Amino acid sequence: GGSGSGSGGGSSAGKPGARRRRSVRNPHRARRQKDELMPILNVSSGRRGQGSRRRGTGRRSTTGSGGGRDRRSGGGRLQAKPSPSERDNAAGRKLAQRLRSPACLASQACVDEAVAAAAAAAAKESAPPRASATVLRLLTDTVDELKETRHWQQVVRVLAWYAAQPRAPPSLASQERRLWVRAMNTCARHGDARRAERLLQSMQECGLECDKLVNTAMMNAYGKAGEVEQAELMFRRMERYGSDPQRGVDVTAVGCLMHVYAQHKLFEPSMKLLAKARALGLRPNAKLCSSLVKVCGDTYRPQSAAAVVQWLRDEGGSPNEALYNAYIHALCKGGMYAEAEACLEDMKEDTAPSTRTFNSLYAGLNGSATMVARSKQLLEVLDAAGLMPTVVSYGIVLQACALTNDWEAAFLLKQRLDRTAFRQGPKIFGPLLALAGVDADAQRIEEVWSWVEQAGCQRTVELYGALLRSLGDGGHVEAAERTIVEMEQDYGQRGNKIIYTSLMRAYERRGDARGAQRVLQRMQDKGVVPDTICYNIALSACAKGADVSLGEAIMAEMSSPLSPVEADLVSYNCYMMAMANTGRWETVEQLLVELETKGMNADEFTYVALVRAYLNANMLENAVQV
């Protein structure tokens, strides 16, 4: 009996009219509890054809003869056994979720472990993990997140595991191709064309055909890696398909190749590509014209840039913000600062200038010795226009401080920047390192480099190049050598032309010609092709160190028909100075005749070398005549 509700309580068993509680167990409840427990124990209940009550309704649903176990729907505790289609993608989902974890993104070993675990799990699955759009979406997001970390190279490993699985259904071909394109764009962003080629090969082995997105991604990868000929070859392959909407050439492909030319400041190929686009009847857009205007600006052709903008307007197009920014940059590069400011006013009629527009204008002012002081006022100008500065804005002002050798203003601006939430990178630390290297102060350079570690900035090749330029300008050879060892071993970065040129500059400042020549040879061993500037630095080191024999060897190498470079006026001046320091005035006179025969005009450095050669040979009258 239960407790009564009257005062004093007590049992209600003997009270008249009291309702007795049933002590018999409910059989239906017992069956439901058993059915809920069986899937957990992984044991079949053996019951067939029993009904079950659905949650939220008063109806009883029954299965037909030979039906399966009772299952609840709509959030009940009883769950159905996973179907094969749900088990298909378990390995892929686990891999994607594990790769996107913070611990995995911060460690290469965790990435390798996640891929190995996913491969082992995939071997136990009954169906391939490539058969789901969910896995494709998760892996695509994973690729996008990996490209922001220092372990972006693991993208290739992730896709290699994915490609090793059985083939996905044809209905997911477009989504699969999008995944490979994202990975290729990641390699293109970091300039790794070899990884992009491996991805392309793996994609083709999966049975996926190349389309315009794949070809443009490969062109971007080749362009960022400096392989312009390979990008042109990819474009010619697209030309074979004519006007095919899936694989042929369109204005997007032309704009992609034009962007490659813009990266390397190739004006003549850009003009030929423009003529080809006109012959194909392609209508220009603002993106294509932006790349073309950028080429004109980088090659100091502001009039050509103005013609491109006018051509777009004649074709019925209108400039956008990016095109205006490139046009303003081109005008500043050509020294047309008044026209650039007038263009800014004209832009206000079509679209409102943004922070990037003001950045383009004031970055161009840094190229003028008389206008660089105005660049320091960029932050005040943005504040007056109601615009928020970006980290690029701070970098432009810091560049102006470096050009004017204003360390105090740069230090105060760095403190102001530390109070913001901007992520500081090479745009900030590059000018600071350049400013620290003005006085060849190794302690200050080391202090600025410590700021890089405190800011958590990734040490890229560009940032190492800025550090090496500062060390090279100060002649700190030992510190520069340690920096390259740290870059190559500890951080896995590959040196480029700027890195080795900066190291050669350090040896050149010290007058160590043999050391500069060793760096030149190291460049070639590493697969980096030296240009004329590299050879000129080595010749300048020979002039400062009075190493005539090495200077003759370097000049003979440049004059060889198999040489990738050709001697210019600076090469002759450096070589003549090496001869002048030892008093070989006859050789200097012969070199003067030789360079004039090649169509070069002697400048003041050429005559300084001739004067020094006469003075070192005690030929005062000849020096006075020069």
Side-chain angles (χ1 to χ4, degrees):
S3 58
S5 59
S7 62
S11 175
S12 63
K15 293 183 179 181
R19 187 176 179 180
R20 296 182 60 186
R21 295 176 59 90
R22 294 185 60 180
S23 60
V24 181
R25 189 177 181 186
N26 190 338
H28 299 287
R29 183 184 300 174
R31 290 192 191 100
R32 285 197 299 268
Q33 292 176 351
K34 182 179 180 181
D35 292 337
E36 293 172 358
L37 187 62
M38 286 307 166
I40 301 176
L41 299 177
N42 200 17
V43 179
S44 176
S45 63
R47 297 173 62 249
R48 301 278 184 179
Q50 297 293 334
S52 62
R53 189 175 300 275
R54 295 183 180 180
R55 184 179 299 272
T57 63
R59 296 176 298 174
R60 183 184 300 271
S61 64
T62 58
T63 59
S65 60
R69 297 192 304 271
D70 298 338
R71 296 176 181 175
R72 288 190 183 273
S73 63
R77 289 179 296 172
L78 183 59
Q79 300 294 333
K81 186 177 181 180
S83 63
S85 61
E86 294 174 349
R87 295 195 306 268
D88 289 349
N89 312 299
R93 284 197 300 269
K94 290 178 182 178
L95 171 64
Q97 293 170 359
R98 192 169 182 180
L99 286 173
R100 296 173 67 182
S101 64
C104 190
L105 291 175
S107 172
Q108 180 176 351
C110 290
V111 175
D112 295 339
E113 182 182 355
V115 173
K124 300 178 181 179
E125 297 292 339
S126 59
R130 288 180 58 189
S132 171
T134 303
V135 174
L136 284 171
R137 186 175 65 254
L138 287 173
L139 288 179
T140 303
D141 295 340
T142 300
V143 167
D144 289 340
E145 293 186 13
L146 283 175
K147 72 181 181 182
E148 301 294 340
T149 67
R150 55 181 293 189
H151 303 293
W152 64 271
Q153 297 92 340
Q154 297 302 321
V155 169
V156 179
R157 289 182 56 83
V158 173
L159 292 184
W161 169 82
Y162 179 76
Q165 308 305 317
R167 187 170 181 176
S171 59
L172 298 177
S174 61
Q175 298 188 32
E176 276 197 303
R177 192 180 293 108
R178 189 179 303 115
L179 171 62
W180 294 100
V181 170
R182 292 282 185 90
M184 292 176 189
N185 286 330
T186 300
C187 297
R189 178 181 179 180
H190 296 274
D192 196 335
R194 303 287 81 78
R195 280 190 172 90
E197 289 176 344
R198 291 199 295 270
L199 288 175
L200 178 62
Q201 182 179 0
S202 300
M203 188 195 75
Q204 293 174 341
E205 292 174 355
C206 291
L208 299 174
E209 296 182 354
C210 296
D211 60 357
K212 289 189 293 188
L213 295 177
V214 176
N215 292 329
T216 53
M218 289 301 302
M219 279 195 289
N220 286 329
Y222 287 129
K224 193 65 179 294
E227 302 176 9
V228 181
E229 295 180 355
Q230 293 294 330
E232 293 174 338
L233 178 61
M234 189 65 64
F235 183 81
R236 286 194 292 270
R237 291 178 182 174
M238 298 179 66
E239 287 181 314
R240 299 174 185 172
Y241 297 98
S243 59
D244 187 351
Q246 297 296 329
R247 294 178 290 181
V249 174
D250 59 357
V251 67
T252 303
V254 174
C256 180
L257 184 58
M258 191 72 73
H259 180 68
V260 173
Y261 289 150
Q263 288 178 336
H264 301 278
K265 306 177 182 180
L266 301 175
F267 179 76
E268 296 298 335
S270 300
M271 292 294 104
K272 294 180 180 179
L273 181 61
L274 177 61
K276 185 178 297 185
R278 287 181 171 180
L280 293 175
L282 298 177
R283 185 177 180 181
N285 55 17
K287 185 176 181 180
L288 169 63
C289 294
S290 298
S291 299
L292 187 55
V293 168
K294 186 178 183 301
V295 175
C296 297
D298 291 336
T299 55
Y300 303 96
R301 291 180 172 91
Q303 290 81 8
S304 300
V308 172
V309 175
Q310 187 61 40
W311 169 59
L312 176 64
R313 288 173 174 167
D314 294 341
E315 293 291 334
S318 59
N320 59 3
E321 180 188 342
L323 180 54
Y324 271 114
N325 296 342
Y327 187 33
I328 291 174
H329 174 74
L331 293 174
C332 291
K333 278 280 191 176
M336 305 171 65
Y337 302 106
E339 289 79 0
E341 294 179 346
C343 180
L344 179 61
E345 297 298 327
D346 295 340
M347 177 183 178
K348 296 179 181 179
E349 299 178 0
D350 295 335
T351 181
S354 65
T355 301
R356 184 172 295 181
T357 307
F358 285 97
N359 290 344
S360 300
L361 176 61
Y362 283 85
L365 297 181
N366 279 338
S368 173
T370 58
M371 306 289 288
V372 66
R374 289 185 55 188
S375 297
K376 296 182 180 180
Q377 304 173 1
L378 173 59
L379 300 182
E380 289 76 9
V381 172
L382 291 174
D383 185 61
L387 298 173
M388 292 295 295
T390 62
V391 68
V392 178
S393 308
Y394 283 94
I396 292 171
V397 180
L398 285 173
Q399 183 68 29
C401 294
L403 293 173
T404 56
N405 197 14
D406 192 350
W407 171 257
E408 294 182 0
F411 183 76
L412 293 176
L413 187 62
K414 176 63 170 61
Q415 290 181 334
R416 175 181 173 180
L417 183 59
D418 290 338
R419 294 191 293 268
T420 65
F422 289 123
R423 183 180 179 182
Q424 303 177 26
K427 297 291 185 182
I428 300 300
F429 295 107
L432 288 173
L433 287 169
L435 189 56
V438 171
D439 298 329
D441 189 349
Q443 185 176 359
R444 178 172 290 180
I445 296 174
E446 184 178 355
E447 179 185 1
V448 175
W449 190 247
S450 66
W451 295 348
V452 176
E453 298 180 354
Q454 295 173 6
C457 178
Q458 183 180 358
R459 298 182 179 183
T460 60
V461 176
E462 181 182 1
L463 203 54
Y464 274 109
L467 175 61
L468 284 169
R469 278 194 296 270
S470 299
L471 295 173
D473 292 340
H476 304 290
V477 175
E478 294 80 6
E481 290 282 4
R482 290 195 305 268
T483 300
I484 289 187
V485 172
E486 175 187 355
M487 180 191 70
E488 293 179 346
Q489 296 182 358
D490 299 342
Y491 292 91
Q493 299 283 357
R494 180 185 175 185
N496 55 13
K497 192 180 301 180
I498 297 177
I499 296 296
Y500 293 109
T501 302
S502 302
L503 181 58
M504 290 180 63
R505 184 78 66 182
Y507 282 104
E508 184 263 342
R509 290 298 177 92
R510 186 175 288 190
D512 189 349
R514 299 292 172 177
Q517 195 272 337
R518 287 195 300 269
V519 177
L520 187 63
Q521 185 62 41
R522 189 193 305 180
M523 289 179 62
Q524 299 173 353
D525 295 340
K526 294 287 185 178
V528 181
V529 180
D531 56 5
T532 306
I533 297 177
C534 300
Y535 281 94
N536 291 345
I537 294 175
L539 288 172
S540 179
C542 295
K544 291 185 177 181
D547 196 334
V548 177
S549 59
L550 182 59
E552 291 176 347
I554 295 175
M555 200 66 180
E557 181 180 353
M558 296 180 69
S559 302
S560 173
L562 301 178
S563 176
V565 298
E566 186 177 356
D568 57 5
L569 180 61
V570 179
S571 307
Y572 276 97
N573 289 343
C574 294
Y575 184 41
M576 291 170 65
M577 189 62 69
M579 295 296 176
N581 289 335
T582 57
R584 301 189 180 186
W585 59 272
E586 301 95 341
T587 306
V588 175
E589 288 182 345
Q590 294 175 1
L591 291 173
L592 178 60
V593 174
E594 181 179 342
L595 68 89
E596 290 178 347
T597 303
K598 292 185 177 182
M600 303 179 190
N601 297 322
D603 59 4
E604 61 271 22
F605 296 101
T606 309
Y607 292 109
V608 166
L610 185 58
V611 169
R612 181 168 296 182
Y614 286 139
L615 291 177
N616 290 332
N618 295 324
M619 301 173 63
L620 183 58
E621 295 182 0
N622 294 34
V624 172
Q625 291 178 1
V626 173

